[in-house]
Amino acid sequence: MENQEYEEMVANVSEAMGKIKNKIAVISGKGGVGKTTVSVNLACSLAKKFKVGLLDTDITGPNVPKMMGLDKRKLISNGDGIIPAENQGVKVMSMAFLLEDKDTPVVWRGPLRGNLILQFLSDVQWGDLDYLIIDLPPGTGDEALTVAQMLPGITGAVIVTTPQDVALMDSRKAVNFSKKVGMPVLGIIENMSGLDCPHCGNNINLFGSGGGERAAKEVDVPFIGRLPLDPEVVSSGDSGKSFMIENPKTDLGTSFQQIVEKIIGGE
Ligand SMILES: Nc1ncnc2c1ncn2[C@@H]1O[C@H](COP(=O)(O)OP(=O)(O)OP(=O)(O)O)[C@@H](O)[C@H]1O
Ligand SMILES: [Mg+2]
């Protein structure tokens, strides 16, 4: 990309993002810990009261459309730019809308992925929003760096972890990354924290529990809350319906609501 073209894009990002009050990135050190699940349900619950957008920055493995019930959607644009898809009250943009065939992998180097994210931030008609939730791919690679550096007014990052030592180690790395690039850390969520046995009611600590809270204390960031393992997370994700819209009154829904309130209250 030419220098001038790049500068124009950066200016467009600032202008578009200036219309969005809060920008929250959802990151993790390790894959498969529940970032997309948290992003989708956070966006859908905020959308009950606020104007909300959800940006999927996972270019090589975009999962947001499937979990939002938008997997059949294709890209639509007009003279003013790209029109975001919308479902459950949330405006959504994802690489998946550009793919002809969802099973063909996107093989792109980091800088190209970064440029596409800038385009998603600048050329999508988000309009005036209260919240933009940004779902990131795992780790602290180019996508996370692009988001942290190109959104100077970013509200902060929510870090998702699971309770195993290896995930916790990676989540501390994600905290250090955020601090290094000057992105405020809103706090850590411990996902997949214990499972209530449907037969005996006893709690099974499959991956352990409490590690997220200890890790948060160690690296001096807030602990936002725990989310249990629950088969409903999988079924709601697979069916494209947020559990926060379909079943907000369950234990899972109540735990998640407390997390949402901490995030919006603690900014
Ligand atoms: N609390 C939970 N209980 C049960 N299943 C869960 C829970 N959280 C997430 N899952 C399931 O785990 C899988 C991974 O979750 P998800 O896709 O949200 O993780 P991710 O961190 O976004 O992954 P990736 O790093 O690949 O982007 C999904 O199938 C999801 O349904
Ligand atoms: Mg994901």
Side-chain angles (χ1 to χ4, degrees):
M1 202 185 289
E2 297 285 326
N3 252 354
Q4 193 190 346
E5 216 179 308
Y6 183 77
E7 274 164 26
E8 245 170 57
M9 193 187 270
V10 172
N12 290 344
V13 170
S14 294
E15 197 195 328
M17 291 298 110
K19 295 188 199 154
I20 300 177
K21 288 192 195 128
N22 301 283
K23 292 150 280 235
I24 298 176
V26 179
I27 71 174
S28 74
K30 190 171 139 23
V33 295
K35 290 174 298 298
T36 306
T37 301
V38 165
S39 302
V40 161
N41 285 285
L42 177 60
C44 288
S45 36
L46 288 172
K48 292 179 196 169
K49 278 203 223 150
F50 302 104
K51 284 188 271 180
V52 180
L54 171 58
L55 174 61
D56 184 358
T57 63
D58 198 333
I59 308 297
T60 51
N63 289 332
V64 166
K66 170 81 182 150
M67 289 197 199
M68 284 295 297
L70 288 164
D71 49 340
K72 302 265 180 314
R73 177 63 197 260
K74 288 269 170 271
L75 189 80
I76 304 178
S77 59
N78 64 15
D80 295 327
I82 302 165
I83 301 169
E86 198 162 342
N87 200 8
Q88 300 173 93
V90 179
K91 291 182 177 172
V92 180
M93 185 62 206
S94 168
M95 176 70 186
F97 302 148
L98 282 87
L99 300 175
E100 278 304 314
D101 169 10
K102 308 253 182 293
D103 297 328
T104 308
V106 178
V107 192
W108 285 8
R109 290 190 196 279
L112 275 185
R113 298 201 299 267
N115 281 348
L116 190 73
I117 292 169
L118 288 186
Q119 236 177 325
F120 284 170
L121 292 169
S122 64
D123 294 359
V124 172
Q125 295 172 45
W126 297 108
D128 297 314
L129 294 180
D130 296 306
Y131 287 92
L132 179 66
I133 308 300
I134 305 166
D135 178 31
L136 280 148
T140 48
D142 284 301
E143 289 83 348
L145 202 57
T146 301
V147 167
Q149 290 181 332
M150 290 302 160
L151 288 176
I154 191 160
T155 316
V158 166
I159 294 165
V160 183
T161 185
T162 51
Q164 307 99 309
D165 280 350
V166 35
L168 291 169
M169 192 179 74
D170 287 337
S171 74
R172 285 192 288 265
K173 218 185 283 171
V175 170
N176 290 334
F177 165 84
S178 305
K179 287 183 176 168
K180 207 167 183 174
V181 296
M183 177 161 64
V185 177
L186 301 178
I188 294 182
I189 296 175
E190 180 178 295
N191 186 27
M192 307 191 189
S193 177
L195 163 80
D196 287 328
C197 172
H199 305 293
C200 67
N202 279 341
N203 189 270
I204 306 163
N205 268 333
L206 206 56
F207 300 133
S209 173
E213 192 163 7
R214 279 195 302 277
K217 261 203 196 112
E218 254 174 55
V219 286
D220 197 23
V221 298
F223 180 67
I224 303 178
R226 283 193 187 93
L227 205 56
L229 267 164
D230 188 323
E232 196 189 333
V233 174
V234 181
S235 56
S236 66
D238 285 354
S239 67
K241 291 178 185 144
S242 155
F243 61 76
M244 288 307 286
I245 301 270
E246 295 287 298
N247 275 322
K249 298 266 183 283
T250 56
D251 281 352
L252 173 69
T254 320
S255 305
F256 199 83
Q257 188 54 39
Q258 285 168 0
I259 287 176
V260 175
E261 272 154 31
K262 267 218 172 138
I263 292 174
I264 58 177
E267 285 159 18

